[in-house]
Amino acid sequence: MSIITGFEHFIRQDEPLAPHTWLRTGGAAEYFAEPTNADELVALVRRCREQDVDVRVLGGGSNLLIRDEGVRGVVIQLGAAAFGEISVKGQSIAAGAGAKLGHLISASVREGLAGLEMLVGIPGTLGGALHGNAGNHGSDIGQFTQRATVLARDGQVHERRRDEMAFGYRQSSLDELVILSAEFRCESEDPVQITKRMQKQWIIKKSHQPLAHENAACAFKNPGEMSAASLIEQAALGDARVGGVALSARHANFIVTDRGATSADVLKLIEMVREQVLERTGVELKPAMDVW
Ligand SMILES: Cc1cc2nc3c(=O)[nH]c(=O)nc-3n(C[C@H](O)[C@H](O)[C@H](O)COP(=O)(O)OP(=O)(O)OC[C@H]3O[C@@H](n4cnc5c(N)ncnc54)[C@H](O)[C@@H]3O)c2cc1C
């Protein structure tokens, strides 16, 4: 039996992945699956396990670099409506991992639930945010997370309670194959006050990142209390470029790509900046993106 037998309605072959990422570079996925519900997802993960096929999960592609040679095996995206539902109960808000983080934030603000608004402007899905504990200026998604449902590589679904999860700077213990959904505990507050805080945060965020039409991604994690952008500027690397890939003129810790850019150039730029920052400042920067 082929990997796609019976799954033809939600699996495509040789799907270019560049359009699914914010950098718009990289090759194709051998198989690209968009299951329409949890049963199809579980059946596919079990099939991949039986046939020893690699599986990866793609969120919004805002923290991901796909190598130019592409990806063997199956790439799953939780784009179907079944994975993006959002619901509110008292001071808790729950969502599927395929929901856009921005939609979760809008829903929480509308319902007068405070906390998540500080994450405004972070692109991508809830799954990606939980995987890397996305955050902004002292707030991160982990601090609100009460419960998560995950699907392991063996096709088993598990619940993770608050005390079974750990969140650190841009990392979480949720490293199972698929994060399916999560629940967040917020404080009740007047939606007008939450909206004001969110708008303020949004203005700050927008002024510190590449323009909306640019293909961009974060280059490095901030090392400890230091800012990767100031280390890059200190090392006089603000105008670093390799081929069609450069550091953003608006914020040195963002990579921006032109038409024709390749992932190999992105990797070369990251390595060049990492080496020179280390040489000139003594600080070793760690790349922010996951590389497939
Ligand atoms: C303009 C811009 C601004 C940004 N600002 C911030 C910021 O302020 N703070 C911040 O923390 N980040 C920021 N980022 C980085 C990025 O937006 C976050 O890391 C985001 O949470 C990634 O989510 P995603 O859905 O795009 O994940 P992807 O890039 O698709 O994937 C990232 C990783 O998460 C995994 N993943 C995704 N979904 C799931 C799932 N359901 N189950 C299991 N694993 C999954 C993938 O396998 C991959 O390893 C920014 C990026 C850009 C381009």
Side-chain angles (χ1 to χ4, degrees), residues 99-141:
K100 290 211 166 76
L101 182 61
H103 291 175
L104 174 67
I105 295 169
S106 304
S108 66
V109 173
R110 224 176 18 245
E111 296 290 333
L113 295 174
L116 295 170
E117 75 282 357
M118 296 312 282
L119 307 180
V120 70
I122 303 179
T125 61
L126 176 57
L130 284 165
H131 172 88
N133 191 21
N136 246 338
H137 304 295
S139 294
D140 59 51
I141 192 138

Side-chain angles (χ1 to χ4, degrees), residues 6-290:
F7 300 149
E8 293 84 354
H9 59 293
F10 68 86
I11 298 191
R12 300 192 288 276
Q13 281 181 260
D14 298 321
E15 168 89 357
L17 290 179
H20 294 282
T21 71
W22 274 59
L23 284 177
R24 300 279 186 271
T25 63
E30 187 179 12
Y31 299 105
F32 185 79
E34 289 179 288
T36 63
N37 57 49
D39 289 344
E40 287 179 352
L41 172 66
V42 170
L44 173 62
V45 167
R46 290 191 176 150
R47 171 90 54 88
C48 291
R49 165 86 166 198
E50 281 156 22
Q51 301 199 6
D52 203 17
V53 169
D54 285 344
V55 191
R56 294 176 170 84
V57 182
L58 172 71
S62 63
N63 204 35
L64 206 52
L65 180 69
I66 315 287
R67 289 179 197 275
D68 298 316
E69 46 276 36
V71 176
R72 301 281 304 164
V74 178
V75 171
I76 297 175
Q77 194 168 43
L78 305 181
F83 300 106
E85 283 166 13
I86 299 176
S87 62
V88 172
K89 197 164 154 205
Q91 286 178 288
S92 290
I93 184 160
K100 290 211 166 76
L101 182 61
H103 291 175
L104 174 67
I105 295 169
S106 304
S108 66
V109 173
R110 224 176 18 245
E111 296 290 333
L113 295 174
L116 295 170
E117 75 282 357
M118 296 312 282
L119 307 180
V120 70
I122 303 179
T125 61
L126 176 57
L130 284 165
H131 172 88
N133 191 21
N136 246 338
H137 304 295
S139 294
D140 59 51
I141 192 138
Q143 73 193 75
F144 306 100
T145 312
Q146 285 305 307
R147 192 186 300 273
T149 310
V150 296
L151 172 63
R153 283 181 192 276
D154 61 4
Q156 297 296 317
V157 174
H158 304 279
E159 288 279 325
R160 300 274 178 255
R161 294 189 317 265
R162 169 96 213 150
D163 58 357
E164 296 170 313
M165 297 182 277
F167 294 94
Y169 173 68
R170 302 298 166 265
Q171 60 183 11
S172 83
S173 60
L174 293 171
D175 55 3
E176 285 85 0
L177 178 64
V178 191
I179 299 164
L180 289 170
S181 61
E183 191 183 304
F184 305 91
R185 176 94 179 157
C186 301
E187 296 294 323
S188 295
E189 203 186 322
D190 177 4
V192 176
Q193 295 307 320
I194 311 175
T195 305
K196 278 190 186 153
R197 232 176 7 252
M198 180 177 72
Q199 284 168 340
K200 199 169 153 200
Q201 179 64 23
W202 176 228
I203 291 166
I204 298 171
K205 176 91 179 119
K206 253 175 79 175
S207 66
H208 284 92
Q209 62 182 39
L211 299 169
H213 68 269
E214 290 183 296
N215 302 331
C218 285
F220 298 99
K221 296 182 183 180
N222 289 324
E225 294 299 299
M226 284 182 282
S227 124
S230 23
L231 287 164
I232 294 168
E233 277 156 14
Q234 211 178 306
L237 290 166
D239 58 357
R241 168 176 282 276
V242 175
V245 184
L247 295 182
S248 162
R250 286 171 61 85
H251 190 296
N253 194 29
F254 276 96
I255 290 174
V256 288
T257 59
D258 295 337
R259 199 183 278 264
T262 65
S263 292
D265 288 343
V266 176
L267 288 168
K268 271 190 219 149
L269 181 73
I270 289 175
E271 186 49 23
M272 186 180 97
V273 173
R274 192 194 67 80
E275 263 178 22
Q276 293 191 17
V277 168
L278 178 60
E279 203 181 291
R280 295 177 196 179
T281 69
V283 180
E284 176 146 29
L285 294 175
K286 300 249 170 359
M289 278 179 283
D290 290 349

